[in-house]
Amino acid sequence: MAKPKRVYQSWKGNNKFLLDGRLIFGPDAKSLIITFTLILVPVVIFCVFVASNLAHKFTTGSIGYAILVLAVVFTIYVLFLLLSTSTKDPGIVPRNSHPPEEVSGYDSSASIDVGKPLPRTKEIIVNGLPVRVKYCETCMLYRPPRCSHCSVCNNCVERFDHHCPWVGQCIGKRNYRCFFLFVSSTALLCVYVFSMSALYLKLLVDDYGTAWKAIKVSPASVALMAYCFVSLWFVGGLTGFHLYLISRNQTTYENFRHRGLRGDNRINVYYRGCMNSFVEVFCSKIEPSKNNFRGYVHEGASKISKGGNIQVTEVDISDEDRRVKVEDDLEIGDDLMKISQRRNSQDIGDIRGRGSDRSPISRSELDFGFGLESQFSSRSESRHSGW
């Protein structure tokens, strides 16, 4: 009798697994090598050519060596956060083997006779307000709140933020905290290396009298200062942008689509105050993964529909549409710096600020609370499995 396969061995997404399914990566996990190099090489240069020499400049040797030790410890911490972000399940929603059995207001028996597809959207209540969720043809489920389908990893991810090519993984509900700590810690590491390199250069100027002679003695200090200055524009801007998103209880995906396609007149149904938003991100308990990647796949154990198999009309998605969707997802990760520098003309209204004396909330406003999925352009609506 053949040994049953484990879940990660028959996984339908584009993820890569290591250590028998204990670590899960995105399909572009090789980009981690580049990210590791961009962090590790400058720190090694700093420790060898700056920190070690700077230790001898202080009369108290412990202060000088503390600079070296702090750089090493801080770098290990940053790399740990990078690995934690890249190897953790971001919040993948397990896909169904069959379409949903029952949908409110939908006659499943009628679909069997005429081949009618499942309704693309349905209404649920979020914070006391009705919003529409979208059906994913690929995963055969109605996406939970703030969930979106990443076409790079080919998974539906809860509280989908974006697919980050620098960490080779989706950023979602379960690894967003690690991602933000990684980005902000990298920014602090850039500030630290820049400051210590500038300090060493100043001490050399005091010793040799001119800046030119100091630069000739330690060109590594100048190179590190230039590298950290450029890097800080990216990771520093990204940190500021995500601080803004956290304060508004908004994801990158929601902000990117909202600003790019619609006006500023819609509310965020998830916003319940700035302080509560930070508490939710940094103090709430991270839920366990909904996928047991090391579990065994049992054939024939999947649930059968009560009314028989529901026939779902297949949607023809061209290769061009799939390619455009992948480019859109990657564009979110690549253009975060541009988004962080863009000034917002208005703040998104608070739900509790809308009194009873004001006009009722329109459905288009409520749709924003679900990642803008139900109000995209007609071009985006045609990509059933991609969204």
Side-chain angles (χ1 to χ4, degrees), residues 118-132:
L118 286 169
R120 295 195 58 211
T121 61
K122 72 174 183 178
E123 278 194 354
I124 67 170
I125 302 299
V126 176
N127 292 334
L129 296 173
V131 293
R132 286 188 289 177

Side-chain angles (χ1 to χ4, degrees), residues 255-300:
N255 182 276
F256 186 86
R257 294 303 180 187
H258 179 54
R259 303 295 178 184
L261 296 178
R262 298 291 176 182
D264 263 352
N265 61 340
R266 284 187 284 178
I267 64 173
N268 182 355
V269 301
Y270 305 101
Y271 180 69
R272 291 182 292 177
C274 180
M275 184 61 65
N276 290 332
S277 299
F278 277 93
V279 170
E280 179 181 340
V281 172
F282 296 108
C283 300
S284 61
K285 182 180 179 181
I286 299 178
E287 297 180 2
S289 174
K290 295 181 179 180
N291 300 278
N292 182 14
F293 298 109
R294 289 178 47 78
Y296 290 101
V297 178
H298 301 285
E299 296 182 1

Side-chain angles (χ1 to χ4, degrees), residues 120 262 321 375-383 387:
R120 295 195 58 211
R262 298 291 176 182
D321 285 342
Q375 292 294 323
F376 288 165
S377 62
S378 57
R379 180 177 65 85
S380 299
E381 289 289 347
S382 62
R383 305 174 192 154
W387 297 97

Side-chain angles (χ1 to χ4, degrees), residues 336-348:
L336 285 179
M337 186 59 189
K338 297 179 181 178
I339 302 174
S340 64
Q341 295 174 343
R342 183 175 56 204
R343 295 184 61 87
N344 299 312
S345 59
Q346 297 177 350
D347 288 330
I348 302 173

Side-chain angles (χ1 to χ4, degrees), residues 127-147:
N127 292 334
L129 296 173
V131 293
R132 286 188 289 177
V133 294
K134 196 172 182 180
Y135 181 74
C136 179
E137 299 282 353
T138 302
C139 300
M140 291 188 288
L141 54 84
Y142 285 97
R143 298 168 186 164
R146 315 187 84 173
C147 176

Side-chain angles (χ1 to χ4, degrees), residues 88-110:
K88 182 180 294 184
D89 176 5
I92 299 174
V93 181
R95 63 183 67 195
N96 293 329
S97 57
H98 299 280
E101 297 178 6
E102 297 179 359
V103 180
S104 178
Y106 174 71
D107 186 2
S108 59
S109 60

